[in-house]
Amino acid sequence: MRVLVMLAVYGLLVFINIRGVREGAGAVTVITFAKLLPPLLFICVGIFFIHASNLAWSGWPSSKSLGDAVILLIFAFVGIEVALIPSGEVKNPARTVPRSAYLALIVTTIIYLMIQLVAQGTLGANLAKYPDAPLAESAAKFLGNLGRTILLAGASISAFGFVTSDILSSPRMIFAFGRDGALPQFFAHVHPRYRSPDVAIITYATLAFALSISGTFEKLAVLSNVAVLLMYLLCCAACWFLVQRDVRSDGEPFNFPGMKIVPALAILAIIWILAHATLREFVVTGIVLALASIMYLLRGQLRRKS
């Protein structure tokens, strides 16, 4: 049943996105609005049912427990870098984009903290007894079965929203690789009527569907986080060199006290988080990188010969 539902979801999203970016973007907008309502309701109502005694800490978690939680939690913050994509169309991007990214992170973090506060404050130690749907059980404490249903529906909408936005944006990378010669030209095919990258969309959706049925969310999320954190690590290293050399473009860059040491601190934090990944996750990531590198080199050789 799970496979059939996921097949239907991916099939629907492929159909929507092949019909054009406007339809895909419209679906993302509607779903984004819909998925925000349940958590906001959860926070606004649940905050009045918090018991202070439930917020008491029994002790600080071990480094391993904290690291194992963080390497999964990073998934909730991944994607902030997409704010860089439209930088060329933004006025004074050197200052505007960083400010927007920081603001988005602050707002998102506050929402996450408030959700945790309500869940912990209403369930207390019992929160750990509901690993599958803790927010739904928390909502049931002050909104009854209706609250549980609303939060479960919200979780489903949120997951659907993530997949929707992913199918909208990620296939464009495959299309760009095909257009630029990093992948076969076939992947740069455009639908004759809707002018959408249909082959790239179908290819990406097929790969995503295959991966989604091959493992649990936790395993796939951590695997994804390892790859993303490695990319972040390289970006932080590049940022450190750029800041030290005072490299700038498009006006005065965004700055704040301690700016020069933040990339170094971020590198240390990323290394600490990655230290909690398993050997399997590094091996899988390494294999993917190796295959991608080989494919890139082969395509380069073929292009030079032609």
Side-chain angles (χ1 to χ4, degrees):
M1 184 63 181
R2 172 173 171 264
V3 174
L4 292 177
V5 170
M6 296 178 70
L7 182 62
V9 168
Y10 278 105
L12 174 63
L13 293 177
V14 166
F15 174 76
I16 291 174
N17 281 278
I18 285 180
R19 291 180 63 86
V21 69
R22 179 179 296 179
E23 285 75 9
V28 171
T29 301
V30 172
I31 293 170
T32 299
F33 179 75
K35 75 179 183 180
L36 283 175
L37 294 179
L40 290 178
L41 175 67
F42 178 78
I43 293 171
C44 293
V45 178
I47 198 169
F48 296 103
F49 294 87
I50 293 175
H51 298 284
S53 59
N54 288 336
L55 301 177
W57 281 26
S58 58
W60 188 262
S62 65
S63 177
K64 184 181 185 307
S65 298
L66 185 61
D68 291 343
V70 170
I71 198 170
L72 178 61
L73 181 63
I74 286 294
F75 186 81
F77 293 92
V78 166
I80 190 66
E81 67 278 0
V82 299
L84 297 172
I85 294 175
S87 296
E89 304 170 39
V90 176
K91 184 178 180 180
N92 194 9
R95 296 180 63 83
T96 304
V97 173
R99 286 180 174 179
S100 300
Y102 278 118
L103 179 61
L105 282 174
I106 291 171
V107 172
T108 302
T109 302
I110 291 174
I111 292 175
Y112 287 157
L113 288 175
M114 292 302 297
I115 289 174
Q116 177 65 30
L117 183 68
V118 172
Q120 185 73 42
T122 53
L123 290 178
N126 291 326
L127 182 63
K129 296 180 180 180
Y130 306 105
D132 295 329
L135 300 188
E137 295 301 327
S138 174
K141 286 287 186 179
F142 52 87
L143 290 175
N145 288 330
L146 177 61
R148 180 187 286 111
T149 302
I150 291 175
L151 265 294
L152 288 174
S156 300
I157 294 172
S158 180
F160 183 69
F162 174 82
V163 177
T164 302
S165 60
D166 189 41
I167 295 294
L168 174 66
S169 58
S170 296
R172 268 68 186 177
M173 290 187 287
I174 296 179
F175 168 79
F177 287 150
R179 179 197 60 199
D180 297 339
L183 287 176
Q185 189 70 26
F186 174 73
F187 291 103
H189 183 269
V190 174
H191 193 281
R193 178 180 177 184
Y194 299 114
R195 311 306 300 168
S196 59
D198 52 351
V199 173
I201 291 173
I202 294 172
T203 301
Y204 185 83
T206 302
L207 291 173
F209 170 73
L211 286 172
S212 65
I213 63 175
S214 66
T216 63
F217 167 78
E218 182 175 347
K219 291 181 179 179
L220 293 173
V222 173
L223 186 61
S224 172
N225 289 346
V226 169
V228 171
L229 285 170
L230 289 172
M231 180 186 70
Y232 286 176
L233 184 66
L234 295 175
C235 290
C236 288
C239 181
W240 188 83
F241 280 105
L242 292 174
V243 170
Q244 298 302 317
R245 297 175 183 178
D246 196 27
V247 176
R248 59 182 67 193
S249 63
D250 294 326
E252 186 69 20
F254 179 74
N255 204 350
F256 57 87
M259 178 69 182
K260 291 188 176 182
I261 65 170
V262 168
L265 295 176
I267 290 172
L268 293 176
I270 291 172
I271 292 174
W272 176 77
I273 297 172
L274 286 173
H276 294 85
T278 64
L279 178 61
R280 171 185 172 275
E281 288 148 3
F282 279 115
V283 169
V284 172
T285 303
I287 291 173
V288 172
L289 288 174
L291 291 175
S293 299
I294 292 172
M295 183 179 295
Y296 179 79
L297 292 173
L298 289 176
R299 291 294 301 173
Q301 292 288 342
L302 291 174
R303 278 191 297 173
R304 280 193 290 270
K305 289 181 179 180
S306 60

